[in-house]
Every structure is written in C-alpha cells, then in structure tokens.
Amino acid sequence: MTAEVRVDMARSQVFGEVAELYDAARPGYSNALVAEVLAYAALGGCAAVEVGAGTGKATVPFAELGTPLVCIEPDPRMAEVLRRNTARYPGVRVECDRFEDWQPGGRRFGLLLAASSWHWADPERRWNLAHAALAPGGAVALFWNPHGVRDAELRTALAEVDGRHGMTNTPHSELASSYGEVPGSSLGLDGWPEAECRRDGRFIDLHAVRYRQDQYYDTDRYLGWLASLSTYRVLPADRREQVLAETAQVLDAHGGGIGMDHLSELFLARVR
C-alpha cells in the first residue's frame, strides 16, 4: 500500500466523529441525476451496491424509488445514522466494512454506485473490485458535487483566509465560471475517473453528464458544511476553529452568506 493510499484511508475515517453534522450539512443529489442513473442501469429488479454510503445522502433518493440496495460503509458511527435514515426502506441493507475488505459472497449486482466516495477507494484495486461485484452488463455510476463561488471578490477574500492557514481544495477554491461547460471538467485535464476507467478496458458505454443548480448558504450552514469536510477535520481543533471563525468573518462582511453554483458530475459505464 502506498503512502498516498494510507493518507487517504486516514482522511476517509474522520467523518464518523461528526456523523450527525455530516448528515445535516452535506448537500444531496438531484432527482434528475438519480433518474439518469436508473435509466442507464435498467436494473429490472436487480439490486445495487453503494460504496461508501455515508449517512445516506445518495441512498435515500434511490431507495425512495424502490431500488434494492446493499450499502457498504466503513465507519460504524456513519452506518448508525445510515440505518436510521433508511429504516423505512425494507430493500436497504447496511454492511459495515471497507470496500477493499468487503466480500460480495457470491452476489452480483446490476449497479455499483459511489457518491463522493470513489476517490477514497484504493486506486490500485477499485476497478477490479467493481468488476467482481457486478453482473455481466452491470453499470457503474460515480458522482460528486463540485462547487464554484459566483462572487469573485468574495472568493478572493476567502482565498486569503485559506492561504494563511495552508488550506487547499475547499468548496470555495474555485469561481463558478472556471468550470466551463464540459461534463467532468471540474476535475481538470486528467479526465478522472473516465480516463482511469477507459485504461482498465473492461467497461464500455462510458458517459458523462452534468447537472447545475444555484445554491445559497448562510454563514452558519456553510460553516457546518466546512466542518464536516476531511480537509477541516484533520486539523487540530484550535486551528480548525480559527479557520472557521475567520471564514465566518469574511462571509458576514459580504452579506452573511455565500452564493454558489452547485454542480453534480455523473460518470457512467457498464461491464462488457
């Protein structure tokens, strides 16, 4: 295991300490995205498996449409909230395990989905594990939520706070106008995860879709979201509180909140 993977594993395990905040503050996923995934997968009654289900931000909209789901979540504190959020859906099963250690046990699924979690899976194994979990023709759906700040002056002021504290890849790092119009371009020129999937060679019908909507966060709601992110969770508590306090000062000085473009990037593929 590389040092990079070990660091990512450590960061992926910080969410459970704020499971309730994560559930309350994190944005969800649009109904249009869920409908697109289900139309592509054409499950026909087959079950789906979700990697890194968290507290169910993506699980619930799929379950509401009757999708049978096996949810893999490594943190027992997150899994507890997930079970609570999905208790009314008898087709949802929660299995507390790391994706890398989880065993399908002879099961094969019609869809593997990962909502803002695929980057945590071991890059040396994730496509092998996905292929092993899927039935022939089974679909992969990976999606995540980049954000861009609409106000350039506000973005500059927040960048000054981030720079003082060595913060990178925060939700306000980018201007909304920087993303362009090409689905998947929010992750830069390397084309991840499409290029990675294409190199694997066992998947076809690769397809990328983008959804966009306006979002406004008042100061308290935005700070709650930031406090649930691994970028902030890994900081010592006193430093985290200082960064959040300075961020709040900037937001309050700019009207008490932040307007953002909320993108939902979706990548689809299926087993040959």
Side-chain angles (χ1 to χ4, degrees):
M1 184 183 297
T2 66
E4 181 180 359
V5 171
R6 285 195 295 270
V7 169
D8 278 352
M9 283 176 58
R11 288 185 61 187
S12 72
Q13 295 166 3
V14 301
F15 302 114
E17 63 194 37
V18 286
E20 297 290 350
L21 177 62
Y22 183 106
D23 189 51
R26 287 294 186 101
Y29 301 92
S30 73
N31 291 334
L33 182 150
V34 174
E36 180 87 21
V37 171
L38 292 177
Y40 179 90
L43 287 172
C46 292
V49 60
E50 182 178 3
V51 176
T55 64
K57 305 301 288 189
T59 316
V60 170
F62 280 92
E64 285 178 339
L65 296 177
T67 308
L69 280 158
V70 172
C71 300
I72 310 167
E73 170 49 49
D75 192 295
R77 298 160 295 184
M78 300 286 277
E80 181 180 356
V81 179
L82 174 61
R83 289 189 178 99
R84 185 187 71 209
N85 287 341
T86 58
R88 63 186 182 277
Y89 304 112
V92 174
R93 175 187 175 94
V94 178
E95 299 185 5
C96 193
D97 208 345
R98 293 176 61 245
F99 181 44
E100 292 81 356
D101 299 327
W102 171 77
Q103 297 294 325
R107 296 168 292 181
R108 291 296 180 268
F109 298 88
L111 168 66
L112 180 144
L113 64 97
S116 301
S117 62
W118 193 244
H119 60 292
W120 296 122
D122 184 347
E124 297 178 359
R125 299 180 59 205
R126 53 192 170 207
W127 291 103
N128 285 335
L129 294 168
H131 191 270
L134 288 168
V140 174
L142 313 177
F143 43 100
W144 59 97
N145 287 336
H147 288 72
V149 184
R150 292 199 292 268
D151 184 331
E153 181 182 342
L154 174 56
R155 187 261 175 191
T156 298
L158 291 171
E160 291 175 359
V161 174
D162 289 352
R164 285 197 297 272
H165 295 278
M167 304 296 292
T168 59
N169 298 321
T170 61
H172 47 263
S173 296
E174 299 291 337
L175 280 172
S177 59
S178 70
Y179 287 131
E181 300 300 326
V182 179
S185 61
S186 62
L187 289 176
L189 299 177
D190 62 352
W192 186 93
E194 180 173 345
E196 189 178 85
C197 179
R198 195 177 297 279
R199 286 194 300 270
D200 181 275
R202 291 173 293 180
F203 298 84
I204 59 172
D205 297 341
L206 279 57
H207 186 47
V209 187
R210 170 181 288 176
Y211 302 89
R212 186 190 296 267
Q213 64 186 64
D214 294 341
Q215 289 278 356
Y216 182 82
Y217 297 87
D218 63 28
T219 297
D220 287 344
R221 183 182 172 208
Y222 191 65
L223 292 186
W225 179 25
L226 295 183
S228 77
L229 297 171
S230 64
T231 305
Y232 291 82
R233 297 311 316 161
V234 298
L235 296 175
D238 56 346
R239 185 176 166 205
R240 180 171 60 247
E241 292 306 314
Q242 182 63 34
V243 175
L244 293 174
E246 293 180 24
T247 301
Q249 291 173 359
V250 170
L251 294 178
D252 287 342
H254 287 77
I258 183 169
M260 309 187 85
D261 272 9
H262 173 120
L263 306 181
S264 289
E265 300 276 27
L266 169 63
F267 172 72
L268 298 164
R270 72 175 78 253
V271 175
R272 285 186 182 275

